[in-house]
Amino acid sequence: MTEDDPAFPAASLILMRERRSGPPELLIVQRSASLVFAAGAYVFPGGRVDPADYEAASRLHPALEPEDGAARIAAVRETLEETAIAVSPAEALVPFARWLPKERVKRRFDTRFYLAEAQGEAIPVADGVETASAFWAAAGDLLARCARGDGRAIFPTRRLLERLARFSRFSDARAEAERLPQRIITPWVEHRAGGDWLRIPDDAGYPITGEPVGTAMRY
């Protein structure tokens, strides 16, 4: 696959729940080791947008732009399938980020990330097929786990976790998402004297905007 090939539309849900003390937790899944894309990695629940998602969006949310509506349906559907946690309604989701790689990768996805606040104390259950585990974790704790070598996250997930770790409550994350203009994040390789870096824009809300190519998990 090259950057000229069409990317698959995809959607992920960043489900956040607040606690009485400490930073909010996020719903995280660990992908099964047998999968082609991001095998064994920590990610937010999500997946490809299916044709049926477009049909459901046109019927249930006709006021939304078709691509946006279908992606919202897919984010909610995939979360239910992968973690057994139901989220509704799709119109309440907050667009948070959109990532589209251009380099040659095994699977190239145009992924929309939506933010939602969790209601209640739902216990996630992994589906055992696409997801090996599902759990709640604070963004900072998950980043520390990856730093210790107890897990790994692909480049977009790492950057999103670093961004989310800055928020002490859901309303802060929602406010930033509504304040920043929506844009597509497309990483690029920057050649430096000490080695190549994978980079993203400095003004898109991400506190860390680069990582050595040698350490970045890209798929």
Side-chain angles (χ1 to χ4, degrees):
M1 175 172 283
T2 69
E3 62 180 282
D4 295 324
D5 294 319
F8 299 113
S12 286
L13 184 62
I14 301 172
L15 190 60
M16 180 182 292
R17 72 174 185 182
E18 296 186 3
R19 298 183 289 173
R20 292 183 179 178
S21 62
E25 294 180 319
L26 307 169
L27 180 61
I28 301 294
V29 298
Q30 183 177 25
R31 289 175 59 81
S32 298
S34 61
L35 298 177
V36 174
F37 178 79
Y42 295 133
V43 297
F44 302 105
R48 287 182 60 172
V49 179
D50 293 337
D53 297 324
Y54 289 92
E55 188 279 329
S58 66
R59 177 168 44 86
L60 299 173
H61 309 291
L64 295 175
E65 185 272 329
E67 294 290 339
D68 177 37
R72 290 167 184 262
I73 294 290
V76 170
R77 173 182 55 76
E78 289 282 348
T79 298
L80 179 61
E81 293 174 358
E82 295 181 353
T83 71
I85 293 181
V87 178
S88 61
E91 288 183 330
L93 304 187
V94 179
F96 188 74
R98 185 175 175 183
W99 283 67
L100 173 60
K102 67 176 181 179
E103 74 273 16
R104 188 183 187 89
V105 293
K106 292 181 180 179
R107 294 285 190 276
R108 197 164 76 96
F109 294 101
D110 180 357
T111 307
R112 299 171 188 247
F113 293 86
Y114 294 92
L115 185 70
E117 185 174 16
Q119 303 297 325
E121 296 294 327
I123 299 176
V125 179
D127 66 6
V129 180
E130 291 191 10
T131 57
S133 63
F135 55 94
W136 294 98
D141 292 341
L142 195 64
L143 288 167
R145 187 182 303 188
C146 292
R148 294 193 304 267
D150 296 335
R152 57 182 187 164
I154 58 176
F155 184 81
T157 304
R158 268 188 173 274
R159 304 290 81 88
L160 284 164
L161 286 170
E162 291 155 358
R163 181 179 173 187
L164 291 161
R166 298 161 43 238
F167 305 123
S168 58
R169 58 183 61 87
F170 172 79
S171 59
D172 295 335
R174 180 179 58 199
E176 182 179 270
E178 293 172 346
R179 176 177 58 84
L180 291 177
Q182 289 296 308
R183 60 194 295 188
I184 298 176
I185 303 298
T186 298
W188 71 91
V189 175
E190 183 177 276
H191 303 293
R192 299 184 179 181
D196 291 347
W197 277 60
L198 192 61
R199 291 269 287 110
I200 61 174
D202 292 324
D203 60 349
Y206 296 85
I208 297 178
T209 59
E211 182 180 352
V213 169
T215 65
M217 181 182 180
R218 300 164 83 174
Y219 51 82

